[in-house]
Amino acid sequence: MDRGGPRGLRDDRRRGGPAQPAPAFRPRRRGLALACAAGQALWLGDPAARPGLFFGLWIAAALAAFAMIGVEAVRRSRRLHSGLADAMVWNAIEVFLPAAGAGACLALVIARFAPGEVWMLPGLWQVLVGLGLFASARILPRAVQGVGAWYLLAGLAVLAVSAETRALSPWTMGLPFLFGQAWLAGIIHHGARAFDDDR
């Protein structure tokens, strides 16, 4: 399968050109999880009393992060692989769609048929993000598998910890995603070097 993205970054660096992602987006993506968790902890009150708002804010944060990643990916792909840019971006989207779709379906089914079990969604979503990252190994640098493992283990840990109280907490979403996004941004930032090391 084509690994043009990291190779292109490596080739661009050898030519002396820019090999860094748009720097303005990296701190914003990482800050979304922290801002969402802190905002909910300060102003939302009991998340279990308003689960729609709790999860709605997280879905909005995820969509904003994906939009920023998409803009960055399109800009970089067009600069490095002008003719292949759209195909590469759509390929990346297709890899993540099953995990995103499963997460949406889980939320709808639990909210409709088992509203008392919504405390499970943060952990389940993290597990699905991990599986999506594992699926992306053929497109992204192989070091992304470590981030996938982090999300998988964090999701299972969140499920285990939350099972005792069955309570929603902004931090069971915010902290795992803050760490995971920071790690993923670092890998993408150094994508060419990570790709070379893993080859």
Side-chain angles (χ1 to χ4, degrees), residues 141-199:
R142 290 182 184 165
V144 167
Q145 292 179 7
V147 186
W150 159 256
Y151 276 114
L152 178 62
L153 295 174
L156 295 173
V158 164
L159 285 169
V161 169
S162 299
E164 296 182 13
T165 62
R166 295 178 176 254
L168 287 174
S169 168
W171 301 110
T172 59
M173 290 283 282
L175 294 178
F177 279 99
L178 173 66
F179 184 78
Q181 285 291 319
W183 189 359
L184 185 59
I187 290 170
I188 299 301
H189 181 71
H190 300 290
R193 186 179 305 163
F195 180 80
D196 287 338
D197 291 345
D198 291 334
R199 293 297 285 175

Side-chain angles (χ1 to χ4, degrees), residues 3-15:
R3 291 183 181 269
R7 281 187 181 138
L9 290 175
R10 181 183 59 202
D11 295 342
D12 195 46
R13 183 178 290 171
R14 286 181 182 158
R15 289 193 304 266

Side-chain angles (χ1 to χ4, degrees), residues 29-123:
R29 282 198 320 261
R30 291 191 300 257
L32 277 173
L34 181 60
C36 194
Q40 287 184 341
L42 291 172
W43 295 298
L44 185 61
D46 180 14
R50 297 158 57 174
L53 182 58
F54 176 82
F55 290 112
L57 290 171
W58 282 111
I59 291 168
L63 291 174
F66 279 119
M68 286 187 274
I69 290 168
V71 168
E72 184 178 307
V74 168
R75 189 167 22 187
R76 172 174 285 190
S77 294
R78 286 188 175 161
R79 188 177 72 238
L80 299 175
H81 312 281
S82 57
L84 299 173
D86 292 338
M88 290 174 66
V89 170
W90 281 112
N91 195 16
I93 290 171
E94 287 174 1
V95 167
F96 285 100
L97 278 179
C105 291
L106 274 172
L108 291 172
V109 169
I110 290 176
R112 174 67 177 88
F113 298 106
E117 308 304 321
V118 293
W119 61 269
M120 298 176 71
L121 280 176

